[in-house]
Amino acid sequence: MDLVGLIPSFGGLAFTIIAFIVALSVIVAIHEYGHYIVGRWCGIHAEVFSLGFGPVLYKRTDRRGTQWQVAALPFGGYVKFLGDADAASGKDGEGMSTLSEAELARTMHGAKLWKRAATVAAGPVFNFILSIVIFGGMILWQGTATERPTIGALSELPVGVSELERGDVITAIEGEATPDYTALNALRETLPREPSLTYTVERDGSTLNVQGPFIMPPLVSGLQPRSAAMDQGFEVGDVITAIDGTPIYAFEDLREAVEASAGADMVMEVWRDGETVEITVAPRRMDLPLPEGGFETRWLIGITGGMFFEPETVTPGPLMALWQGVEQMWFIIRSSLSGLWHMITGAISTCNISGPIGIAETSGAVASQGLDQFIWFIAVLSTAVGMLNLFPVPVLDGGHLVFHAYEAVTGKPPSDKALRVMMTTGLALLLTLMVFALSNDLFCP
């Protein structure tokens, strides 16, 4: 296995590692701060708040007696509460035996049940809050498209956009009315795929017929990390003008050609900054989540298309933006759970599970596309971390919540021996999963 091939060509190993560490550190810091602050509100004393594991590089102790530290291995973190034997919140029975009743109430194992449960749940909840705030903030910053299709900015294309202007309201294309974006997008299936179409627009109080390109030209609006297109050097803003010598004018032409290739090499003529270059790319088989649930498997090169213009936007209200952030987070959770189920049942490939190398490579790839894309990726990863931590596996927060639920029903916690066995089992499961994910990074296509 050529490990160098796993390093994105755009920035090298150092850039990839830095992006990964930054993304992971933000997510871990928020997760652990959730545990810390809710525990503090509940009167549970935190002895150590650590970003990273291993040798301590920096530390300080605050006035509450909590040691804040940064450790050498930046691949996680933990909060060690009073009464914990280790970073995994194992019970320090010997140490707790010397504590008074008042001191026991300040431990993670002697506090009231609801306080312990709230402290444990706070980590994933803070991950979800981070995701919602980022998604909502990005939506608030970028705005949402106006109801009527209105040109905010035009993309640079080889032909076809010179007669359209910023501020034009598109009312029809080739005589088909476009009262909103739903109608506009529906026309992609019926309009002729030609280099120039007739647009009816409202401009400065007048109605004009002007020429413009296909609604969604073969324009590279985005690149999927770790995709064939990114590996072969495609860039955002590229326009694919021909495939294997055949001119194309619509993104649907590109999609159909890629699907029909069945993975064979394709020679694409690409217009970039006024010049034409040739790029050869081989599509890869990939599993995609469907909006209604489930997955479909298709040949893809990893290019995201878009309209030939950026819509004019309006700023939504803060509450609306946050609600859309909640919807985005829920879509990620639903798609992730659906993907996990489809992998378990064999409907899609288990290669969809990425390990640390894959996540690091994705972090660097997204960071190379801009700060806004990287921040959005942090929100996506934060949602995934919050969701995974709620799985009912001992060692994870979800496992601890199961123990608390058992205590709530039976009136007593599981025995120390049972806890040790379950924690050991949970740790073994996690290590097995990590090894499996790492093998995917190394050996999956």
Side-chain angles (χ1 to χ4, degrees):
M1 167 58 62
D2 179 14
L3 291 178
V4 176
L6 295 172
I7 302 172
S9 59
F10 53 81
L13 180 60
F15 183 83
T16 298
I17 292 176
I18 291 172
F20 177 53
I21 290 175
V22 169
L24 189 61
S25 297
V26 170
I27 293 166
V28 169
I30 291 295
H31 180 95
E32 298 303 332
Y33 187 77
H35 289 314
Y36 162 78
I37 194 63
V38 173
R40 198 182 88 184
W41 292 340
C42 292
I44 301 173
H45 175 63
E47 294 184 318
V48 179
F49 185 110
S50 180
L51 282 182
F53 298 94
V56 176
L57 303 178
Y58 168 82
K59 65 180 179 180
R60 74 172 182 86
T61 301
D62 65 19
R63 60 186 177 85
R64 294 185 177 84
T66 300
Q67 178 175 299
W68 298 76
Q69 65 184 41
V70 177
L73 302 177
F75 302 114
Y78 63 91
V79 177
K80 182 179 179 295
F81 290 102
L82 181 64
D84 288 347
D86 48 42
S89 296
K91 183 178 179 180
D92 181 8
E94 182 178 347
M96 289 184 63
S97 65
T98 64
L99 300 178
S100 65
E101 287 296 324
E103 290 172 325
L104 284 173
R106 299 178 66 229
T107 70
M108 191 59 177
H109 306 276
K112 291 182 179 180
L113 178 60
W114 72 266
K115 293 182 178 181
R116 287 180 275 141
T119 301
V120 170
V125 169
F126 269 53
N127 280 133
F128 295 145
I129 291 173
L130 173 65
S131 299
I132 293 170
V133 169
I134 290 178
F135 289 142
M138 295 290 285
I139 292 169
L140 198 62
W141 174 57
Q142 295 175 345
T144 56
T146 56
E147 182 177 353
R148 302 181 71 193
T150 306
I151 295 176
L154 291 162
S155 301
E156 292 188 24
L157 299 175
V159 293
V161 298
S162 59
E163 294 183 359
L164 288 161
E165 297 180 2
R166 181 181 183 133
D168 285 349
V169 179
I170 302 172
T171 59
I173 306 176
E174 293 291 322
E176 298 287 340
T178 55
D180 51 36
Y181 282 98
T182 300
L184 184 74
N185 287 325
L187 289 181
R188 295 185 320 184
E189 303 295 329
T190 58
L191 288 173
R193 300 177 187 177
E194 297 176 354
S196 183
L197 301 175
T198 300
Y199 285 73
T200 304
V201 301
E202 292 180 3
R203 180 187 300 169
D204 299 327
S206 301
T207 299
L208 306 173
N209 286 327
V210 296
Q211 295 300 300
F214 191 81
I215 300 171
M216 185 180 282
L219 168 69
V220 180
S221 297
L223 290 166
Q224 183 177 344
R226 306 173 66 199
S227 64
M230 177 165 278
D231 291 346
Q232 294 306 114
F234 279 88
E235 299 177 5
V236 173
D238 287 348
V239 181
I240 300 169
T241 58
I243 300 176
D244 294 331
T246 302
I248 63 171
Y249 306 106
F251 194 82
E252 279 74 10
D253 292 330
L254 172 63
R255 182 182 293 124
E256 291 171 2
V258 168
E259 185 65 30
S261 73
D265 283 350
M266 308 175 71
V267 179
M268 299 188 180
E269 293 180 16
V270 178
W271 183 86
R272 178 184 297 167
D273 298 328
E275 298 182 356
T276 299
V277 298
E278 280 194 356
I279 299 178
T280 300
V281 60
R284 299 171 184 171
R285 202 74 167 162
M286 300 183 69
D287 301 308
L288 296 179
L290 298 172
E292 64 275 10
F295 282 76
E296 66 173 348
T297 303
R298 292 167 42 195
W299 290 103
L300 298 172
I301 59 174
I303 286 177
T304 302
M307 295 184 295
F308 68 87
F309 67 94
E310 293 290 334
E312 186 176 82
T313 61
V314 293
T315 302
L319 292 180
M320 177 59 71
L322 286 176
W323 177 247
Q324 291 178 350
V326 171
E327 291 180 327
Q328 178 66 37
M329 184 194 70
W330 177 241
F331 172 76
I332 294 169
I333 292 174
R334 191 177 70 244
S335 298
S336 299
L337 293 175
S338 176
L340 182 61
W341 173 251
H342 281 73
M343 280 185 277
I344 292 173
T345 59
I348 62 175
S349 171
T350 55
C351 284
N352 286 281
I353 296 178
S354 292
I357 294 176
I359 297 173
E361 187 180 8
T362 301
S363 300
V366 175
S368 73
Q369 298 184 49
L371 181 60
D372 56 339
Q373 296 292 321
F374 184 58
I375 293 174
W376 188 273
F377 171 73
I378 288 176
V380 172
L381 196 56
S382 183
T383 298
V385 168
M387 181 193 71
L388 290 174
N389 266 279
L390 287 176
F391 281 14
V393 177
V395 179
L396 296 179
D397 294 330
H400 288 288
L401 290 174
V402 171
F403 298 154
H404 294 329
Y406 174 86
E407 183 178 348
V409 172
T410 64
K412 60 180 181 179
S415 68
D416 291 345
K417 181 179 179 180
L419 282 174
R420 284 195 297 271
V421 171
M422 287 187 287
M423 295 289 277
T424 302
T425 302
L427 182 60
L429 287 173
L430 282 182
L431 290 175
T432 300
L433 179 61
M434 290 178 63
V435 170
F436 177 76
L438 182 60
S439 69
N440 280 354
D441 291 341
L442 297 175
F443 303 115
C444 279

